[in-house]
Amino acid sequence: MASSARYRLFGGAQGPGKSLWILWEAILHCLQYPGSNALLLRRTCPELDSTLIDHFQKHVLGKIPDTPAWRKSFGGRKAFNQTARLYRFPNSSVLRFGYCERFSHVYNYDGAEYVFIGLDELTQFPFRIWEHLRLRNRCPVPGSRPCMAGATNPGGENSEWVKALWIDRKPFPGMEDYQYEPGDYEFIPASVWDNPIYANDAEYIKNLKQMSPALRAQRLEGRWDKFEGQYFSNFDPVRHVWDTRNNPFQIPHWWPKWIGIDWGFAHHTSIGWHTNGRVEIGATGNGLARHPGDPEVRNIKLTYREKHVKEKTPDELAELIFTMSGGTQNSRGEYVQGETIAGIYLSPDAFARHDSFRTVALQLSEALQKRGMPHCAQADNDRIGGWSLMYQMLELDEWMIMDTCPFTIAALPTLMRDPEKLEDVKKTDSLSDDIGDQVRYAMKSHLRPRLKPAEVEYQEKLESILDMTAKVFFAYRHLQEQNEEGPVRIDIKPRWAQQ
């Protein structure tokens, strides 16, 4: 509480008393600044009732006698309104309890000013909820010091932005550099041994020590790089990140290069450049893991460049990809190609038609081809197969990421298994999810075996479409993509003949 940082994060490990701390800090702010408001949040309403409100009733209301004299200070009303989940102090301050299960819930707290906002289990909240609430963190009381705080364990589906701001001390993707002041953020680590109640509880300590290695690293040690539910638990920066500063490497021009794109407009468009080739392990190891029996030459896949942007038109994306691939424009306005790109694999949603024939994929392909680059191919969207391929490549030390791709390196450890479908990665509203999909598209699409000719795949897809109008549109699109002269054979039967 003595920290001067505007935004604080407390905890890390399990058991230091995070929820009680955040509750008492809110109470102290209300007592210190008469007439102010404080807000405490959990992600869901049941979690709120079973933690913060339960603690409040036991440790605060349970200590206050509900006498007529006490009620008189509130004009005869009860101090705690259970329905509205708010407590009124005799000095006119108000402590409000709430939840934000969806982003729309943040508007429930608009119109008020809060001297203190506390979020319990912060890694359960998306970044944009925190960002919006910051606008409400102000107070008209003279001399007040508005501030916000979070209490949490490592891990969770939204740990990416929390780790970036407090642990890595850098802006989260989506923030401009001017929006992040390192001095505004402070992480105060704590563990079970800082809690006088549980520090001497041998049974509780024993239970923490007997957890699985990943859960123990998260809950007992408070580590932010290893936690329960990670999909790529085998990712190791020592083995899988190429240190270009100590081991500079020029990618040979003959290595095949390809690009993966997970398209978005309001969300991030994630773009990654990938290549593969044979590298020789030198005396210093040149960034590769050294194990007994390592071969002298290894074939690796290498992710060497990345870019993540928002609100870019297809033509702007094409120009960005062209420029970052080494392309230039000469004095006559002609496009001069840089790297030779073998393929560009775009997320399937960009091929969907919403209101016209000109899909995002078609517009982007035209803009790329105008610059002498390949058109976009629809990426293989086999989620389970793609994640499995990426895991296997890491396990076999066949995939490395250059340190010029910091967001990709940061994203992999945060991808979590879907608890409803353990072989899949859980979908989240985060940049990490976009990056993971982009890499999966690129690797699965470029490295998959080509077992069927394109015409066979086309005919099988055509036969699987039952709607007659959709069949015609699909065949017409195929004709456009192939740029063939003459008709495409379409075997369309009336509905009665298909029975």
Side-chain angles (χ1 to χ4, degrees):
M1 296 182 184
S3 170
S4 61
R6 176 73 181 269
Y7 310 114
R8 285 157 297 129
L9 180 67
F10 176 71
Q14 181 172 312
K18 300 184 295 296
S19 298
L20 276 178
W21 156 70
I22 207 166
L23 169 65
W24 279 109
E25 175 146 0
I27 292 171
L28 290 176
H29 275 84
C30 288
L31 294 174
Q32 185 175 1
Y33 305 111
S36 64
N37 296 314
L39 175 65
L40 289 176
L41 294 172
R42 281 297 299 255
R43 185 69 192 273
T44 67
C45 184
E47 291 171 336
L48 175 68
D49 289 336
S50 63
T51 55
L52 292 174
I53 290 183
D54 183 66
H55 288 325
F56 182 72
Q57 290 176 326
K58 287 180 180 178
H59 297 282
V60 180
L61 295 185
K63 308 296 183 182
I64 300 175
D66 191 11
T67 63
W70 180 254
R71 287 196 182 188
K72 185 178 180 181
S73 60
F74 302 102
R77 299 172 299 176
K78 282 190 174 182
F80 184 57
N81 186 325
Q82 181 75 41
T83 303
R85 295 187 177 87
L86 58 85
Y87 181 83
R88 299 181 186 276
F89 290 81
N91 66 358
S92 299
S93 292
V94 175
L95 172 58
R96 184 175 182 182
F97 298 88
Y99 62 94
C100 265
E101 189 168 3
R102 296 188 297 272
F103 178 74
S104 58
H105 290 159
V106 299
Y107 300 117
N108 296 334
Y109 313 108
D110 280 356
E113 299 171 316
Y114 301 99
V115 66
F116 176 77
I117 301 177
L119 292 86
D120 197 13
E121 295 301 339
L122 184 60
T123 54
Q124 295 181 358
F125 293 87
F127 173 70
R128 60 181 187 151
I129 287 180
W130 168 272
E131 188 177 38
H132 186 89
L133 289 171
R134 289 198 304 178
L135 301 175
R136 315 312 312 165
N137 184 216
R138 58 182 189 264
C139 183
V141 177
S144 62
R145 186 178 74 90
C147 59
M148 294 176 65
T152 194
N153 297 120
E157 62 183 68
N158 294 291
S159 63
E160 176 190 16
W161 71 270
V162 178
K163 183 175 182 291
L165 297 182
W166 280 278
I167 310 302
D168 299 334
R169 311 281 293 173
K170 64 182 183 181
F172 175 68
M175 297 178 71
E176 300 294 338
D177 289 341
Y178 71 86
Q179 294 178 291
Y180 183 74
E181 289 287 344
D184 287 343
Y185 296 82
E186 184 174 356
F187 173 52
I188 297 94
S191 70
V192 64
W193 288 283
D194 296 307
N195 189 330
I197 296 176
Y198 292 119
N200 299 313
D201 188 334
E203 193 63 28
Y204 186 74
I205 301 294
K206 177 182 174 182
N207 289 336
L208 289 175
K209 289 182 176 180
Q210 289 179 342
M211 291 186 293
S212 65
L215 198 57
R216 171 177 169 153
Q218 173 189 354
R219 297 301 179 93
L220 181 62
E221 302 170 16
R223 291 180 56 181
W224 287 83
D225 58 336
K226 295 290 182 183
F227 42 83
E228 188 75 3
Q230 282 179 301
Y231 192 96
F232 296 106
S233 57
N234 60 346
F235 175 72
D236 182 355
V238 176
R239 292 166 52 196
H240 302 124
V241 174
W242 192 296
D243 183 357
T244 57
R245 183 173 58 181
N246 295 319
N247 300 288
F249 178 69
Q250 184 69 35
I251 298 173
H253 66 85
W254 62 85
W255 280 20
K257 301 176 180 67
W258 67 96
I259 294 173
I261 304 175
D262 182 47
W263 177 79
F265 188 78
H267 288 274
H268 282 92
T269 293
S270 176
I271 310 168
W273 283 256
H274 313 270
T275 185
N276 75 280
R278 296 168 67 82
V279 294
E280 184 175 341
I281 301 177
T284 60
N286 69 13
L288 292 175
R290 296 299 305 273
H291 300 293
D294 261 346
E296 291 300 318
V297 175
R298 180 179 298 165
N299 194 311
I300 66 165
K301 289 77 180 173
L302 187 65
T303 298
Y304 65 95
R305 188 183 296 135
E306 66 178 6
K307 188 66 178 179
H308 317 288
V309 294
K310 277 185 177 182
E311 299 180 355
K312 295 291 184 181
T313 66
D315 191 71
E316 289 172 331
L317 283 177
E319 180 63 25
L320 177 67
I321 294 169
F322 174 74
T323 303
M324 292 192 66
S325 299
T328 58
Q329 225 174 338
N330 61 25
S331 58
R332 296 188 298 274
E334 300 170 335
Y335 292 105
V336 180
Q337 190 176 2
E339 297 174 332
T340 300
I341 302 298
I344 299 176
Y345 302 99
L346 179 62
S347 51
D349 58 318
F351 289 80
R353 292 192 176 94
H354 298 288
D355 54 4
S356 71
F357 280 105
R358 292 184 56 77
T359 64
V360 171
L362 180 59
Q363 296 175 61
L364 182 56
S365 291
E366 290 177 349
L368 287 168
Q369 289 180 309
K370 182 176 72 173
R371 293 164 171 82
M373 300 191 73
H375 73 280
C376 296
Q378 183 167 329
D380 185 335
N381 198 23
D382 177 7
R383 290 182 61 84
I384 294 177
W387 302 128
S388 178
L389 173 64
M390 292 165 62
Y391 187 96
Q392 291 175 38
M393 290 193 303
L394 289 174
E395 191 69 16
L396 299 173
D397 290 333
E398 293 179 352
W399 174 31
M400 297 195 71
I401 307 168
M402 281 191 165
D403 57 8
T404 52
C405 305
F407 293 118
T408 303
I409 294 168
L412 284 182
T414 66
L415 297 177
M416 307 291 292
R417 289 188 182 274
D418 188 336
E420 304 297 327
K421 196 174 183 181
L422 292 177
E423 301 304 321
D424 199 358
V425 168
K426 184 177 181 179
K427 290 290 294 179
T428 61
D429 185 17
S430 68
L431 176 60
S432 288
D433 185 76
D434 299 330
I435 293 173
D437 283 340
Q438 171 263 118
V439 176
R440 175 171 57 84
Y441 293 145
M443 296 300 182
K444 188 66 168 63
S445 302
H446 191 80
L447 302 176
R448 66 179 175 180
R450 306 293 177 174
L451 300 178
K452 296 179 182 179
E455 186 62 24
V456 173
E457 290 185 352
Y458 161 68
Q459 291 294 341
E460 289 179 352
K461 176 66 176 177
L462 187 66
E463 291 175 6
S464 69
I465 301 175
L466 300 180
D467 183 78
M468 306 300 287
T469 304
K471 274 184 182 287
V472 173
F473 281 131
F474 179 75
Y476 179 70
R477 182 177 65 182
H478 178 73
L479 175 63
Q480 283 189 319
E481 291 175 350
Q482 298 300 316
N483 195 25
E484 294 177 350
E485 296 181 2
V488 174
R489 188 178 77 83
I490 310 175
D491 186 13
I492 298 178
K493 300 177 181 178
R495 289 187 182 276
W496 59 265
Q498 298 180 23
Q499 302 299 323

